[in-house]
Amino acid sequence: METHRANLPRNMIENSMFEEEPDVVDLAKDSTSFPSFPPLDPDDVAYEPRSSRLLVRGLGENDLDDEEEDCESSARLLGMSFMNRSSAQRVAASPYTRHSPSRSCSRPSARTMVVCVLLLVIVVSMTMVLYLLPECTFTKVRKQHETSPSEPVYPISTNGEVFPWAQLRLPQSVRPLSYDLTLNPDLDKMTFTGHSVITMFVRHNTKHIVLHSMNLNINKATFKLGDEKATTVTVLEFKPKQQIAVKFTEELKAGQLCVLTIDYSANLSHTYDGFYNSSYTDKEGNKKVLAATQFEPLSARKAFPCFDEPSFKATFLIKISHKADYLALSNMPKAKTTKLSNGLVLDEFETTSVNMSTYLVAFIVANFTPVSKNLSVYSVPEKKEHTGYALDAASKLLDFYNNFFEIPYPLQKLDLVAIPDFLAGAMENWGLITFRETSLLVGSHSSALEKQVVGSVVAHELAHQWFGNLVTMSWWNDLWLNEGFATYMQYTSIQNVLPELDIENLFLDVRLRAMEKDALNSSHAVSTEVNTPEQVEEMFDSVSYEKGASILLMLNASLPGDQQFRKGIIQYLKQFSGLNTYTNDLWNSLTQVKHYNVSEMMSLWTSQKGFPLVTVSHKGDEVNLSQEHFLLTSDNATHSSSLWHIPVSYINDSCSLAAECRQLFTLKTKSEKVKWLKLNYKNTGFYIVDYGKEGWSELSDALANNYQVLTSEDRTSLIHNIFSLSRLGRVSFHQVHQLLKYLSNETDTTPVTEALLQLNTIYRLLDKHLEHELGARLKGYILSLFGALIQNQTWGEIESVSKQELRSALLETACHFKEESCIKQAKDIFKNYVESNGTATIPGDLQQVVFNVAAQSDDWSTLLTLYGKASYDSEKRKMLKSLASTQNPQQIVWILQEGLRGQIVQTQELPLVIGTVCNGFAGYLFAWDFIQENWDRLIENFFSSLKERGSSMRSVQEALETIKLNQRWIDTNLASLRKCL
């Protein structure tokens, strides 16, 4: 899927940095291949659970000050989840009553007081633990004998009976084999009824069946054991854990088959998860309604009673009734249609040919139109002409994956559907992939950059048909097995199938941005324990996606031979086809192909948060390397207790550009000795390098003499590394300034865009801290550094994606800084665009800068009118972002309120609005007030089940940490910055 507490146990990452003297090794004498290790016995490997999911991107992930970061954290919260968060309400704690001690008591001894205090703390703690568990009434059978073990404590269901289960995870005693689902949505009343027949296999003797249900009104339930007659049963419900249960007086025996049939009704969800209602306005201005699903990770239970965990795979037979002028879609092809007596029709779909996890089930009722090839792309009728690019790209990518994995796509059909009102970027439902319109539709005048977005998302979701759908993680702690692989494969596939999209630049950028997140103490291990629904949903973040992809790239780059990694992937997919896996299953599959223990190198990259800082120091002709945890936060930091096995690549001054120049060794201990010029060739490794004062000076001189001595990727990684070290306090801004001097000659995209991003981040920080004079000097410095390159940019159509990226970044910066010629060009283009009545076009990569200039001038209302009429979604979203960039207080307040109202601006776009408003000097205080005033409504719209109003969520902790880091940077760097500028 494209796209977010309780404290987690992190015993693997609690110790401090290493302090031993560095070992020394001569790289020239070291082998460039890995040693062979004996195969790892699975029983010797401690299973380490895992982590989270995609935040809405572009919400200002960099340095912001206190007020802005408070605002920013809220924007992240809103964008963090494409589904509602559902859990029990928090029970308020009752006040404690203090009793005065008896005046007649003599003064106790110090020892007695200590013992009493300890006992009191234990009693109060136990009382609080029991009392604060959510919405539970507990019952407990007393022990018959003092020596007998305690009986489990069970909650009470809604009807007052004891509920037979007390854990988040379902019992393993019963497994579903198949679901037969009939759904009857009423799009006029926004309700639906359902009939669910679940055939199950009893694995262990049990007196109860426990499964999931949420917000479903169960009207009737029957149970049938083997060939016995079906009987009516009582369904118990425990809402805090979204579970239902059926209890039996006689044990169900292992090996038996049974059938549970449930009739139920519910409202279509008004949020973006479960079976939810959506709408759009057609070109005639008529409102059209539809219903769609979003089940990942925990929302299938909102549409039908089910075993809603990834490991409970089953087959599905789905039937949906609807009006005759609508169509229904599901995972499988339609088998037949039956006319019903009420004027509706009933579509029955083929039974799934594979066992599926519940989160991959999907169905849609809408009046969409398809275009077809060997697959189909669906959209609202008036956007049919925008589906061609996705259809062609998906067809090519599907062929690539079939060949690359050596496993044919296993279903009989594949549909890609653009949904007008969809919070996620996309969702990989097996055979029925759903998308935001901006992630799937491409207009006739779209830029190559917009095609890059669509191509990336399509490639990601198609990769999931193998990674995630065919082979699925056993539990959400290993979500990275789905998302990290799909992210890695989206870049791999596009490099091969759509090379014109220059996807390498994007992959480099997301790796660097992932490091910035992972450098925070609030980060988490790639595989980390999750015990609550909120923790499950938080797994969808940059660690699971981009860091997961990054460590796979690092592993692939470190392996000898061209096809070794691919062979390991194929082994993994074939070995576990249709099954559920853990992280070590992947390492073991790769080990079978590579014949050395991959787990030894990779396990620490997934079991502990963060990444290493490799420090380089000179001793005569030798170079020493040492490693430590790169962690930006100094307060209450939990440094990694283990060393990483780092596949260190390096190049030297005699050979630095070609792939064959790269040399490799493994840094497994605290330090080793190498001879080097530049480490981490093309930034394929997930680590940062500090070359020391002398080393940075040498690199700065080398770039100043001939910047093309290093690849574009290597120059980019140097810029990123030195800014990161500046934030850490390891280098001065003077050293940063020395390295950046060469940029006046730079013409490649990624070094320039990386430098612009870092410098603009500092400028925003100075602006928010009212350092206007210093900010003006920094503005002048940026414009002088890139002035010649800015002046060389044209304003017409260009084909190269890389050149579009470069032009967009340069001109957005120039116009933001009110550079005169940039403002004039943008205004002229906008004027011509407005006066042409739709006949003129603006190059896609220039739309954002042109719309920004319009929104920050007298043309804001004109742009708003254009926004209301725009039909092409990518262009419309750029207009919205520009409207939110206004510095006018009245306009800021209006667009924030309208985003919550959802009439002109879709509510799904509110995270984008808030994040953009926060970037402006005039906007961030208004946004912060707006968020505080409307927090409860925001919670209801985006994650209704959040406990304790979100204060413990990881993104909040991340925001608070970033605030402190920003303040620390200001405190430590202002003097150096003033001196340099």
Side-chain angles (χ1 to χ4, degrees):
M1 183 167 170
E2 271 298 300
T3 44
H4 322 12
R5 131 155 84 242
N7 292 326
L8 305 181
R10 308 213 179 208
N11 54 319
M12 75 293 291
I13 51 174
E14 291 175 344
N15 297 328
S16 60
M17 290 190 193
F18 316 104
E19 298 181 0
E20 303 88 33
E21 285 296 313
D23 295 328
V24 178
V25 78
D26 189 343
L27 252 202
K29 299 177 182 178
D30 202 353
S31 170
T32 59
S33 61
F34 291 111
S36 296
F37 299 105
L40 194 63
D41 182 40
D43 293 334
D44 295 335
V45 182
Y47 165 60
E48 180 56 41
R50 236 210 56 293
S51 158
S52 153
R53 178 73 105 286
L54 185 65
L55 311 182
V56 166
R57 299 173 191 184
L59 294 187
E61 298 175 345
N62 304 297
D63 307 327
L64 307 170
D65 68 10
D66 297 32
E67 291 285 2
E68 181 181 10
E69 191 56 53
D70 287 339
C71 164
E72 175 57 30
S73 67
S74 303
R76 284 201 190 109
L77 284 175
L78 300 185
M80 187 172 63
S81 182
F82 25 80
M83 71 293 290
N84 250 10
R85 304 176 182 275
S86 44
S87 64
Q89 294 177 345
R90 182 169 63 99
V91 176
S94 59
Y96 294 101
T97 304
R98 297 183 70 179
H99 299 280
S100 301
S102 170
R103 294 179 184 273
S104 62
C105 292
S106 59
R107 181 183 179 89
S109 67
R111 179 177 177 179
T112 302
M113 288 185 69
V114 169
V115 172
C116 290
V117 167
L118 286 174
L119 286 172
L120 181 61
V121 167
I122 292 170
V123 171
V124 171
S125 299
M126 292 298 294
T127 303
M128 290 178 68
V129 166
L130 290 173
Y131 188 79
L132 293 176
L133 284 171
E135 293 186 0
C136 300
T137 306
F138 294 93
T139 183
K140 186 173 182 179
V141 180
R142 290 183 177 276
K143 292 185 289 183
Q144 294 181 353
H145 305 286
E146 294 253 31
T147 56
S148 65
S150 300
E151 294 293 326
V153 179
Y154 292 106
I156 298 298
S157 57
T158 52
N159 71 350
E161 288 189 44
V162 175
F163 194 80
W165 193 247
Q167 299 179 36
L168 174 71
R169 303 280 297 272
L170 296 179
Q172 298 291 314
S173 52
V174 175
R175 307 283 294 186
L177 298 177
S178 66
Y179 294 81
D180 185 336
L181 301 175
T182 304
L183 296 133
N184 307 293
D186 186 333
L187 298 185
D188 296 322
K189 297 179 180 178
M190 294 300 173
T191 60
F192 69 98
T193 61
H195 177 76
S196 175
V197 182
I198 311 173
T199 301
M200 298 164 286
F201 175 76
V202 181
R203 299 179 68 227
H204 310 293
N205 294 359
T206 183
K207 282 192 172 183
H208 55 258
I209 295 173
V210 182
L211 62 160
H212 290 109
S213 173
M214 185 180 179
N215 300 334
L216 303 179
N217 304 310
I218 296 174
N219 303 319
K220 181 184 178 181
T222 61
F223 181 77
K224 182 176 181 293
L225 181 63
D227 295 328
E228 297 177 5
K229 184 180 178 181
T231 58
T232 301
V233 291
T234 300
V235 177
L236 305 178
E237 183 174 17
F238 184 53
K239 290 184 177 181
K241 285 193 170 63
Q242 304 157 17
Q243 294 172 354
I244 58 174
V246 177
K247 294 197 296 188
F248 306 96
T249 54
E250 299 291 331
E251 272 193 334
L252 305 178
K253 301 298 184 182
Q256 290 181 315
L257 291 176
C258 54
V259 178
L260 178 64
T261 302
I262 299 177
D263 292 304
Y264 61 98
S265 61
N267 293 321
L268 288 170
S269 171
H270 66 279
T271 54
Y272 297 99
D273 65 334
F275 192 18
Y276 73 96
N277 71 79
S278 179
S279 65
Y280 67 96
T281 303
D282 66 16
K283 57 186 176 183
E284 280 80 36
N286 302 312
K287 182 180 180 180
K288 299 288 186 178
V289 295
L290 61 114
T293 57
Q294 170 59 51
F295 289 162
E296 189 182 43
L298 307 171
S299 293
R301 64 194 67 176
K302 291 185 173 184
F304 57 96
C306 58
F307 295 80
D308 200 11
E309 294 181 9
S311 63
F312 286 91
K313 291 188 172 185
T315 61
F316 292 82
L317 170 61
I318 295 175
K319 289 165 274 190
I320 302 176
S321 67
H322 58 87
K323 293 179 180 178
D325 58 342
Y326 274 66
L327 61 79
L329 298 171
S330 190
N331 304 85
M332 294 293 288
K334 186 165 60 176
K336 64 179 181 180
T337 298
T338 305
K339 291 184 178 180
L340 303 178
S341 58
N342 57 6
L344 302 179
V345 296
L346 180 70
D347 286 341
E348 180 176 328
F349 299 89
E350 295 177 16
T351 302
T352 58
S353 54
V354 290
N355 287 319
M356 290 171 44
S357 302
T358 50
Y359 78 89
L360 294 171
V361 176
F363 32 87
I364 297 169
V365 178
N367 57 349
F368 289 162
T369 301
V371 294
S372 300
K373 209 171 186 178
N374 58 336
L375 49 87
S376 298
V377 179
Y378 285 80
S379 69
V380 300
E382 54 262 42
K383 296 180 181 178
K384 179 179 178 180
E385 67 272 16
H386 295 164
T387 58
Y389 181 80
L391 181 67
D392 184 59
S395 180
K396 293 176 181 176
L397 288 162
L398 186 61
D399 288 343
F400 172 83
Y401 286 136
N402 282 330
N403 294 325
F404 187 88
F405 298 136
E406 297 181 0
I407 301 173
Y409 172 73
L411 297 190
Q412 288 84 341
K413 65 97 177 173
L414 178 58
D415 297 334
L416 286 64
V417 186
I419 298 178
D421 202 14
F422 191 69
L423 191 57
M427 176 61 209
E428 66 267 20
N429 314 300
W430 217 345
L432 186 65
I433 308 175
T434 47
F435 296 79
R436 267 194 183 200
E437 289 184 327
T438 51
S439 300
L440 191 65
L441 304 182
V442 173
S444 56
H445 299 292
S446 297
S447 69
L449 271 176
E450 291 160 347
K451 292 175 181 177
Q452 186 191 70
V453 170
V454 170
S456 296
V457 178
V458 169
H460 182 101
E461 304 308 325
L462 288 182
H464 269 309
Q465 308 304 297
W466 287 263
F467 286 102
N469 299 11
L470 186 65
V471 179
T472 312
M473 77 268 145
S474 291
W475 180 240
W476 300 104
N477 60 296
D478 274 326
L479 177 67
W480 89 276
L481 289 174
N482 286 16
E483 299 300 350
F485 254 113
T487 303
Y488 174 80
M489 287 308 304
Q490 83 183 54
Y491 297 111
T492 300
S493 62
I494 290 178
Q495 284 175 9
N496 284 273
V497 176
L498 303 168
E500 69 276 8
L501 296 184
D502 291 338
I503 203 69
E504 297 91 342
N505 290 353
L506 179 59
F507 194 15
L508 176 60
D509 180 68
V510 299
R511 299 199 303 272
L512 299 179
R513 304 291 76 79
M515 295 180 87
E516 292 172 0
K517 293 287 189 185
D518 204 29
L520 300 176
N521 194 45
S522 52
S523 185
H524 60 91
V526 170
S527 180
T528 197
E529 188 173 356
V530 289
N531 295 311
T532 68
E534 290 78 17
Q535 289 173 0
V536 169
E537 290 164 0
E538 283 196 314
M539 292 306 294
F540 295 84
D541 69 356
S542 63
V543 172
S544 296
Y545 283 69
E546 284 80 19
K547 184 179 180 181
S550 299
I551 64 174
L552 291 173
L553 173 69
M554 179 173 63
L555 174 60
N556 188 12
S558 68
L559 294 174
D562 202 20
Q563 295 292 314
Q564 291 299 301
F565 186 69
R566 179 190 172 197
K567 290 176 182 176
I569 289 174
I570 293 170
Q571 167 72 21
Y572 171 76
L573 290 174
K574 290 185 174 179
Q575 182 176 352
F576 297 103
S577 178
L579 302 177
N580 297 82
T581 59
Y582 304 95
T583 291
N584 264 331
D585 293 324
L586 171 64
W587 303 148
N588 290 337
S589 291
L590 288 163
T591 295
Q592 291 175 40
V593 172
K594 309 316 182 263
H595 305 299
Y596 65 80
N597 196 336
V598 174
S599 180
E600 183 179 67
M601 184 181 88
M602 295 305 298
S603 60
L604 289 174
W605 289 96
T606 55
S607 65
Q608 61 186 6
K609 71 178 178 181
F611 56 88
L613 165 64
V614 176
T615 301
V616 179
S617 60
H618 288 274
K619 286 187 178 178
D621 292 335
E622 295 177 341
V623 175
N624 299 320
L625 300 186
S626 61
Q627 66 161 291
E628 61 192 76
H629 185 178
F630 184 94
L631 187 62
L632 286 173
T633 305
S634 57
D635 299 335
N636 301 317
T638 52
H639 290 272
S640 169
S641 60
S642 301
L643 296 166
W644 285 269
H645 287 198
I646 311 171
V648 177
S649 57
Y650 66 100
I651 46 182
N652 57 44
D653 53 353
S654 62
C655 186
S656 59
L657 296 174
E660 55 267 23
C661 297
R662 186 195 72 147
Q663 301 185 62
L664 181 73
F665 80 104
T666 305
L667 175 60
K668 295 189 237 177
T669 60
K670 170 77 165 91
S671 59
E672 298 185 14
K673 182 188 78 177
V674 296
K675 293 190 180 297
W676 65 281
L677 172 65
K678 160 72 173 61
L679 271 61
N680 199 3
Y681 177 67
K682 289 195 171 184
N683 208 76
T684 55
F686 201 72
Y687 58 93
I688 280 175
V689 183
D690 183 2
Y691 297 94
K693 188 172 182 180
E694 180 182 344
W696 281 114
S697 179
E698 291 172 353
L699 285 164
S700 298
D701 291 343
L703 290 174
N705 291 332
N706 176 17
Y707 72 93
Q708 292 182 332
V709 72
L710 295 177
T711 67
S712 173
E713 295 93 336
D714 283 315
R715 302 197 299 273
T716 304
S717 71
L718 285 177
I719 293 168
H720 171 267
N721 283 194
I722 201 166
F723 273 103
S724 299
L725 292 165
S726 171
R727 291 192 74 195
L728 191 64
R730 294 280 287 255
V731 302
S732 67
F733 195 81
H734 174 73
Q735 291 171 276
V736 177
H737 173 65
Q738 291 299 113
L739 183 75
L740 298 186
K741 282 183 177 179
Y742 98 91
L743 280 170
S744 58
N745 297 316
E746 180 66 81
T747 57
D748 281 353
T749 297
T750 54
V752 172
T753 54
E754 180 65 24
L756 282 172
L757 183 149
Q758 300 289 352
L759 290 169
N760 279 322
T761 296
I762 295 173
Y763 175 80
R764 290 207 319 270
L765 206 57
L766 296 174
D767 194 38
K768 299 298 170 54
H769 280 80
L770 304 180
E771 292 284 346
H772 299 312
E773 190 271 336
L774 187 55
R777 279 196 262 165
L778 179 59
K779 182 195 301 185
Y781 170 74
I782 295 171
L783 290 176
S784 66
L785 200 59
F786 300 106
L789 198 55
I790 290 171
Q791 294 302 319
N792 287 337
Q793 301 306 305
T794 63
W795 290 75
E797 294 284 357
I798 53 176
E799 291 298 320
S800 165
V801 173
S802 183
K803 289 180 179 178
Q804 288 181 13
E805 291 171 336
L806 177 64
R807 178 170 73 171
S808 175
L810 287 167
L811 295 182
E812 282 189 43
T813 296
C815 281
H816 179 68
F817 288 161
K818 309 300 181 188
E819 199 275 329
E820 188 175 339
S821 63
C822 184
I823 295 290
K824 182 180 184 304
Q825 285 275 15
K827 285 186 173 181
D828 290 344
I829 289 174
F830 184 74
K831 183 174 183 290
N832 182 55
Y833 177 73
V834 172
E835 293 175 350
S836 72
N837 291 321
T839 59
T841 60
I842 304 173
D845 63 302
L846 295 180
Q847 286 174 355
Q848 195 68 72
V849 63
V850 170
F851 294 153
N852 283 351
V853 170
Q856 293 165 30
S857 66
D858 295 335
D859 289 318
W860 190 89
S861 57
T862 304
L863 185 62
L864 179 61
T865 301
L866 292 173
Y867 173 79
K869 295 177 180 178
S871 59
Y872 179 50
D873 306 285
S874 178
E875 184 179 50
K876 192 177 181 78
R877 203 160 196 255
K878 290 171 188 170
M879 289 178 180
L880 177 61
K881 188 174 180 181
S882 294
L883 289 167
S885 72
T886 178
Q887 301 297 294
N888 182 299
Q890 289 180 314
Q891 293 166 353
I892 291 170
V893 171
W894 183 88
I895 201 164
L896 287 168
Q897 292 175 343
E898 177 53 39
L900 188 59
R901 218 170 12 241
Q903 295 174 358
I904 298 174
V905 177
Q906 287 179 304
T907 302
Q908 71 177 25
E909 301 290 10
L910 184 55
L912 174 69
V913 170
I914 293 176
T916 305
V917 167
C918 284
N919 283 333
F921 178 75
Y924 73 103
L925 293 177
F926 285 103
W928 178 226
D929 289 342
F930 169 81
I931 288 166
Q932 293 179 91
E933 183 179 341
N934 295 283
W935 184 244
D936 290 334
R937 287 184 65 191
L938 297 173
I939 289 283
E940 179 185 354
N941 269 288
F942 287 89
F943 21 65
S944 59
S945 63
L946 260 187
K947 294 180 182 179
E948 305 195 16
R949 305 173 81 240
S951 60
S952 65
M953 293 177 65
R954 186 180 292 124
S955 55
V956 175
Q957 303 308 313
E958 175 189 300
L960 294 172
E961 187 176 356
T962 304
I963 293 169
K964 295 177 182 178
L965 287 171
N966 291 339
Q967 189 59 54
R968 186 180 76 179
W969 191 95
I970 287 290
D971 293 341
T972 57
N973 285 282
L974 277 186
S976 176
L977 195 60
R978 286 192 178 98
K979 188 175 181 180
C980 289
L981 299 178

